[in-house]
């Protein structure tokens, strides 16, 4: 019976399995056809004839250089921002098999056959195309109607400036993509908060918010503006949660820790990873090394590493060294002396010591070598075993070629009269004794017994007699000083400014006591092998500091503009001009869209103030849920515009119209918000709603008309005749290029 029962059970199971196999497997999925159609249209508008023009377009001349350096693994520093955006552009070059061999020296230069133009421009174009469905979903997550979401997506689709910027090897479209992705992810997370806290999808959208924010900041520091907006929004929402009596203290703590992990810790870790990959890829020395410290340069393959490989690590009495100023401004330079003396009297009538000049020289030279001498001994060679110099030790610095001692005294420096002159002492047998004792202070020491190390130690030299600190003033000496940089003794020194810090760059243990043999030795390489690899965090800290503080000289550009010019689009940028025909590409926005966005922002502000005043008087013109929706949309769209625009009024840098694109993207999203609000709450009758709908259709037709009108300047084709180009100059301030016939 037991067997028969088992057989019946097994038979039933097999029947069910056979029944399952007899039936087809059906998978159902909901597909938003509108979203798919918008994505396809976005891809078509951005990818159409992407290789045209096959020439360098505007800032491709700038970013292309970095792509080539990535391909060749050569280190570089770009003061415009972090490396993630550059790496994405380089990924396009890698996918296309680019070898990096192209001279990026001129806008309009024809690309050679080895440059994969399509793949180099692909990622920015894809990012720009995906902004269209992202705009749709953002409005949908804000609980606006399908028509409003569709309108937002179509406005982004038909925005000429966004199309232009996304079709070339530029970063703004990638930045805007990650900004919109971060906003959408946070909205989806927030909407799941009410009924699905700590679910898989809840965690997914929360984590994606942090990742997208980190990617936005990693592309350009402008991404910080939206990141701060979302952090503030998350903080406000959490503040409201604290007042929810249904949530326990433990639950609130878990919510706080989840947000801190996803929105702060993970983005910081991801940001560090961008630099880790950047530094791992760029391991070879290049032209940008010189602004980095000696330790950083020595960690790169070739360049300084080739020179310093095998140097002794510990500086000892008798060491032969070159001393590089840590500041590196106005240029990198080394402590230097030569046989020439200071003039007896300067042009302004002040007198000098007439001692041997000491300067900071921006080139490698045998006169940059100095010998570290023990004041109590005469020998200029390293003993066996070497006696290392430690923090607080007193030394004399002997110029290697002239054998004169580094000296300072109470004589005014040539260009910095409030500081002391630094010289190499010449005994003129007058009442000016030598004052050549210096105390070594290792600023980045770990203990007071630290040994002075090659490359790694940053050192101050404090004059024993006067307490003056050896410092680079940065001023260029006159002709008598060969335009080299002035070195002074700073008497009133507070803190450790980098101009007072020096590090040993080249180093050998001196072996020759005779001067002629020593001069030969100063020209010879060293052989000892000491590793000086920097940790990743040390390299990251230095590189990050250089990015934040390194400022190229801002020069007036033909197409630079002010932030006020952007709102009314009183400016444009000519990106490319065909060498023979009238075909050209300009960064120009859709005039209809930009004007409507300004009107929508102004109307939103006025209505919000009106509602606030009325609500203060306990008069509620719209339902509470409509008010909350209105404020939420304004916080995201209006707030996004404000945080991405207003900071530019505080920036002292050359500005261009493309800096406004993230802000105007948020402002465009505000248009359907205002339109739906007007339709739902101000158009009370059916007739008014019908008339309003007709006006919206007419307005949108105007937007499409403007898009079509300016598309030849967006895509660069077809080529227009001079009369047609003049007709497109809707504003006198626009610089439309017209060839003389």
């Amino acid at each position: 019976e037991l067997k028969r029962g088992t057989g019946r059970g097994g038979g039933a199971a097999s029947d069910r399995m056979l029944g399952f196999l007899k039936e087809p497997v059906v998978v159902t999925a909901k597909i938003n056809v509108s979203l798919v159609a918008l994505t396809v249209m976005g891809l078509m508008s951005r990818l159409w004839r992407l290789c045209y023009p096959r020439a360098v377009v505007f800032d491709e001349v700038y970013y292309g250089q970095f792509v080539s350096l990535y391909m060749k693994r050569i280190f570089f520093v770009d003061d415009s921002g972090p490396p993630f955006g550059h790496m994405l552009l380089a990924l396009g070059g890698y996918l296309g098999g680019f070898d990096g061999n192209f001279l990026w020296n001129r806008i309009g230069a024809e690309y050679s056959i080895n440059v994969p133009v399509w793949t180099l421009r692909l990622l920015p174009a894809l990012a720009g195309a995906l902004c269209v469905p992202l705009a749709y979903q953002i409005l949908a997550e804000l609980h606006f109607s399908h028509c409003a979401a569709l309108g937002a997506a179509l406005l982004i689709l038909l925005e000429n400036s966004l199309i232009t910027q996304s079709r070339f090897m530029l970063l703004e479209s990638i930045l805007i993509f990650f900004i919109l992705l971060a906003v959408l992810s946070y909205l989806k997370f927030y909407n799941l908060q009410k009924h699905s806290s700590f679910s898989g999808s809840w965690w997914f959208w929360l984590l994606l918010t942090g990742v997208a924010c980190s990617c936005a900041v990693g592309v350009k520091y402008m991404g910080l503006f939206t990141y701060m907006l979302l952090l503030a929004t998350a903080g406000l929402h959490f503040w409201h949660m604290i007042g929810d009596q249904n949530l326990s203290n433990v639950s609130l703590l878990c919510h706080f820790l989840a947000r801190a992990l996803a929105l702060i810790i993970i983005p910081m870790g991801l940001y560090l990873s961008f630099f880790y990959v950047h530094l791992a890829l760029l391991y070879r020395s290049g032209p940008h090394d010189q602004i980095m410290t000696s330790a950083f340069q020595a960690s790169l393959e070739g360049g300084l590493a080739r020179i310093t490989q095998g140097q002794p690590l510990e500086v000892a009495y008798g060491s032969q060294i070159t001393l590089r100023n840590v500041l590196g401004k106005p240029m990198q330079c080394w402590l230097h002396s030569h046989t020439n003396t200071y003039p007896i009297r300067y042009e302004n009538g002040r007198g000098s010591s007439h001692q041997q000049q000491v300067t900071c020289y921006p080139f490698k030279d045998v006169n940059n070598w100095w010998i570290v001498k023990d004041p109590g001994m005469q020998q200029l060679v390293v003993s066996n075993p070497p006696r290392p110099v430690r923090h607080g030790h007193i030394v004399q610095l002997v110029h290697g070629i002239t054998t004169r001692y580094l000296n300072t005294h109470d004589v005014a420096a040539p260009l910095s009269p409030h500081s002391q002159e630094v010289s190499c002492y010449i005994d003129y047998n007058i009442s000016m004794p030598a004052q050549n004792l210096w105390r070594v202070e290792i600023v980045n020491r770990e203990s007071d017994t630290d040994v002075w190390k090659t490359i790694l130690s940053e050192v101050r030299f404090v004059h024993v007699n006067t307490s003056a600190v050896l410092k680079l003033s940065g001023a260029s000496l006159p002709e008598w000083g060969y335009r080299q940089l002035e070195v002074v003794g700073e008497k009133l020194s507070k803190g450790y400014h980098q101009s007072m810090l020096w590090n040993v760059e080249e180093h050998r243990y001196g072996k020759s006591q005779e001067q002629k043999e020593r001069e030969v030795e100063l020209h010879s390489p060293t052989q000892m092998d000491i590793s000086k690899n920097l940790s990743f965090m040390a390299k990251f800290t230095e590189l990050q500091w250089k990015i934040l503080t390194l400022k190229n000289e801002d020069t007036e550009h033909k197409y630079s503009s002010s932030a006020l010019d952007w709102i009314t689009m009183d400016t444009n940028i000519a990106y490319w001009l065909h060498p023979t025909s009238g075909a050209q590409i300009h960064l120009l926005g859709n005039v209809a869209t930009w004007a409507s966005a300004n009107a929508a922002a102004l109307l939103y502000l006025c209505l919000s103030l009106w509602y606030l005043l009325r609500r203060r008087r306990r008069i509620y013109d719209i339902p509470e849920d409509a008010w909350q929706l209105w404020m939420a949309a304004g916080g995201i769209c209006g707030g996004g515009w404000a945080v991405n625009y207003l900071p530019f009024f505080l920036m002292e840098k050359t500005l261009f119209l493309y800096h406004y694109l993230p802000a105007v993207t948020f402002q465009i999203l505000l248009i359907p918000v205002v339109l739906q609000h007007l339709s739902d709450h101000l158009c009370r009758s059916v007739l008014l709603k019908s008339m309003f709908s007709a006006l919206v259709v007419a307005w949108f037709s105007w937007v499409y008309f403007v898009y079509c009108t300016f598309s030849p300047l967006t895509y660069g084709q077809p080529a227009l005749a001079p009369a047609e180009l003049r007709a497109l100059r809707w504003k006198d301030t626009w610089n439309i290029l017209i060839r003389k016939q």
Side-chain angles (χ1 to χ4, degrees):
E1 289 178 3
L2 185 61
K3 288 181 180 179
R4 285 198 298 272
T6 305
R8 286 195 298 271
S14 61
D15 288 343
R16 286 196 299 270
M17 183 174 292
L18 288 172
F20 172 76
L21 293 175
K22 291 176 183 177
E23 296 293 329
V25 178
V26 178
V27 177
T28 59
K30 290 182 178 180
I31 298 177
N32 188 329
V33 178
S34 298
L35 196 60
V36 173
L38 287 169
T39 305
V40 172
M41 288 190 291
L43 291 170
M44 290 174 60
S45 67
R46 271 66 174 176
L47 295 176
W48 180 70
R49 297 199 63 182
L50 192 60
C51 286
Y52 180 85
R54 193 175 171 82
V56 179
V57 175
F58 199 61
D59 270 355
E60 285 187 337
V61 74
Y62 178 73
Y63 293 113
Q65 300 175 46
F66 302 131
V67 172
S68 287
L69 292 172
Y70 270 116
M71 297 300 104
K72 297 178 179 181
R73 304 293 189 266
I74 295 174
F75 175 78
F76 68 85
V77 179
D78 178 21
D79 65 335
S80 69
F84 182 55
H86 300 77
M87 287 193 290
L88 289 178
L89 296 180
L91 176 62
Y94 174 78
L95 294 175
F98 184 37
D99 56 11
N101 292 320
F102 183 76
L103 187 60
W104 307 87
N105 63 347
R106 181 173 60 86
I107 297 173
E110 291 290 325
Y111 283 122
S112 54
I113 192 76
N114 67 307
V115 181
V117 181
W118 193 82
T119 57
L120 283 171
R121 294 173 177 172
L122 177 61
L123 287 178
L126 288 176
L130 292 176
C131 288
V132 176
L134 284 177
Y136 176 92
Q137 290 182 287
I138 287 172
L139 266 290
E141 290 298 323
L142 283 170
H143 305 298
F144 283 87
S145 67
H146 166 72
C147 288
L150 188 63
L154 290 175
L155 288 172
I156 297 296
L157 175 70
L158 300 177
E159 175 47 46
N160 299 71
S161 60
L162 295 180
I163 296 173
T164 301
Q165 200 69 16
S166 62
R167 285 175 50 80
F168 303 108
M169 191 173 44
L170 306 171
L171 292 180
E172 278 68 30
S173 63
I174 300 175
L175 170 66
I176 294 170
F177 166 76
F178 283 120
I179 285 173
L180 295 182
L181 179 62
V183 171
L184 174 63
S185 301
Y186 182 80
L187 290 174
K188 282 184 173 290
F189 152 76
Y190 178 72
N191 289 333
L192 287 169
Q193 175 71 39
K194 300 167 186 175
H195 51 82
S196 302
S197 292
F198 299 103
S199 64
S201 56
W202 184 92
W203 274 109
F204 173 79
W205 291 113
L206 177 60
L207 291 171
L208 185 57
T209 303
V211 169
C213 285
S214 184
C215 290
V217 176
V219 172
K220 278 196 167 189
Y221 283 127
M222 289 168 59
L224 270 171
F225 303 146
T226 304
Y227 181 33
M228 292 296 107
L229 174 67
L230 290 179
L231 281 181
T233 304
L236 181 63
H237 289 161
F238 184 73
W239 179 256
H240 291 155
M241 288 178 64
I242 293 176
D244 188 349
Q245 297 298 320
N246 296 320
L247 293 174
S248 66
N249 292 339
V250 174
S251 179
L252 282 174
L253 179 62
C254 291
H255 276 286
F256 175 79
L257 292 177
R259 285 159 173 77
L261 172 68
L263 300 180
I264 298 176
I265 296 174
I266 288 179
M268 289 175 63
L270 191 58
Y271 181 78
L272 283 173
S273 72
F274 298 150
F275 281 86
Y276 185 85
V277 175
H278 175 75
L279 292 169
L281 290 173
L282 307 182
Y283 58 86
R284 291 177 178 155
S285 174
H288 291 213
D289 302 2
Q290 298 179 358
I291 64 173
M292 309 304 289
T293 63
S294 302
F296 196 106
Q297 293 183 54
S299 70
L300 299 172
E301 181 182 295
L304 183 61
R306 195 168 50 220
I307 298 172
T308 59
Q309 184 178 11
Q311 291 186 157
L313 177 63
E314 296 184 346
V315 177
Y317 290 108
S319 285
Q320 298 169 358
I321 62 174
T322 63
L323 289 165
R324 181 181 187 264
N325 190 265
V326 171
L327 180 63
K329 293 180 181 180
M331 61 191 74
Q332 65 165 354
C333 63
W334 293 263
L335 191 66
H336 175 94
S337 187
H338 39 240
T339 56
N340 301 70
T341 60
Y342 290 108
I344 296 176
R345 195 163 298 279
Y346 300 124
E347 293 179 357
N348 59 8
R350 289 190 299 111
S352 79
S353 65
H354 199 45
Q355 299 284 332
Q356 182 172 302
Q357 296 175 19
V358 171
T359 65
C360 206
Y361 188 52
F363 301 100
K364 302 281 187 181
D365 189 87
V366 72
N367 279 312
N368 297 346
W369 284 93
W370 300 80
I371 301 169
V372 181
K373 180 181 174 298
D374 184 347
M377 304 180 68
Q378 290 301 315
Q379 68 182 35
L380 296 177
V381 295
V382 176
S383 60
N384 190 12
R387 292 187 300 124
V389 180
R390 298 182 183 275
H391 171 75
H393 280 192
I394 306 299
V395 301
Q396 292 171 314
L397 294 176
V398 182
H399 188 238
I401 296 299
T402 63
T403 66
R404 293 200 169 104
Y405 290 60
L406 186 71
N407 185 83
T408 187
H409 34 229
D410 193 15
V411 175
L415 301 180
S416 306
H418 297 293
S419 301
Q420 292 181 181
E421 175 193 271
V422 175
S423 63
C424 278
Y425 183 73
I426 303 174
D427 188 0
Y428 289 120
N429 199 22
I430 57 176
S431 58
M432 185 181 284
Q435 298 181 16
N436 52 31
L437 299 179
W438 300 85
R439 184 172 65 255
V440 176
E441 292 187 355
I442 303 173
V443 174
N444 59 342
R445 65 187 181 277
E446 295 180 359
S447 71
D448 287 343
T449 59
D450 268 15
V451 174
W452 185 6
K453 294 183 178 67
T454 305
I455 290 179
L456 302 178
S457 296
E458 295 182 349
V459 172
R460 281 202 332 168
F461 294 101
V462 181
H463 192 237
V464 172
N465 297 77
T466 64
S467 297
V469 178
L470 190 69
K471 176 185 176 182
L472 170 68
S473 77
S476 295
L477 294 169
E479 289 294 337
W480 54 259
Y482 304 101
R483 302 293 179 187
Q484 295 173 19
L485 301 179
E486 181 190 41
V487 173
V488 301
E490 184 68 35
K491 288 183 283 188
L492 301 174
S493 59
K494 295 181 180 179
Y496 300 115
H497 190 269
Q498 286 187 321
S499 60
M500 301 177 182
L501 303 182
W502 306 81
N503 71 270
V504 173
E505 188 169 270
E506 296 178 72
H507 177 210
R508 64 171 62 85
Y509 281 164
K511 300 176 182 178
S512 303
Q513 186 67 39
E514 295 296 324
Q515 177 62 14
K516 288 187 178 180
E517 295 177 1
R518 190 183 305 121
E519 289 184 16
V520 174
E521 189 178 30
L522 290 172
H523 289 87
S524 63
T526 57
Q527 300 298 327
M528 295 179 66
D529 190 14
I530 299 291
S531 174
K532 306 177 187 66
N533 289 331
L534 283 180
S535 67
F536 162 69
M537 285 307 298
K539 294 174 76 173
F540 163 75
T541 303
E542 180 178 342
L543 179 55
Q544 178 66 88
W545 179 250
K546 289 293 182 184
I547 291 174
L548 293 175
T549 59
L550 179 67
K551 297 298 178 187
N552 291 325
E553 293 185 9
D554 287 336
T555 55
E556 192 68 23
H557 192 280
K558 180 180 181 181
Y559 292 107
S560 63
S561 54
S562 70
L564 282 175
D565 296 330
W566 303 340
I567 297 182
T568 53
M569 203 167 47
D570 286 336
T571 182
N572 72 305
I573 303 177
Y575 271 11
W576 171 80
L577 175 66
H578 193 278
T580 56
S581 72
Q584 52 194 279
I585 295 174
H586 288 256
L587 182 66
L588 266 176
N590 187 311
V591 178
T593 304
W594 285 43
S596 303
N598 290 332
L602 184 61
L603 191 54
Y604 179 89
L605 181 63
C606 293
L607 282 174
S608 298
L609 291 174
W610 173 254
Y611 289 148
L612 284 170
L613 288 171
R614 301 267 289 175
R615 289 171 72 86
R616 190 66 178 165
R617 301 293 296 172
R618 300 292 190 269
I619 303 172
Y620 300 99
D621 299 288
I622 57 177
E624 185 60 26
D625 59 342
W627 169 251
Q628 294 297 332
L629 181 63
W630 176 252
M631 293 305 294
I636 294 296
C637 303
W641 171 80
V643 299
N644 282 284
Y645 175 56
L646 297 180
F648 286 102
F649 287 97
L650 305 176
M651 294 184 186
E652 295 182 359
K653 60 179 288 186
T654 305
L655 300 177
F656 296 91
L657 182 61
Y658 55 73
H659 286 126
Y660 187 54
L661 295 184
V664 81
T665 301
F666 280 103
Q667 197 181 29
I668 290 172
L669 297 182
L670 197 59
I671 298 175
V673 169
V674 173
L675 290 178
Q676 179 173 327
H677 184 81
L678 294 176
S679 176
D680 291 348
H681 301 289
L682 297 184
C683 297
R684 307 284 182 177
S685 65
V686 176
L687 178 61
L688 280 176
K689 285 183 180 292
S690 300
M691 292 176 62
F692 185 79
S693 299
L695 285 174
V696 169
V697 171
W699 163 78
F700 196 83
S701 301
W702 177 43
V703 171
Y704 182 72
F705 168 76
V706 174
Y707 160 75
C708 294
T709 301
F710 284 94
S711 61
L713 300 184
T714 300
Y715 293 97
Q717 51 189 321
L720 300 179
E724 295 173 306
L725 290 170
R726 289 190 190 94
L728 290 180
R729 192 181 181 189
W730 288 11
K731 291 193 174 186
D732 293 336
T733 53
W734 290 357
N735 187 13
I736 307 296
L737 305 176
I738 301 174
R739 294 185 181 278
K740 294 182 179 179
Q741 297 298 314

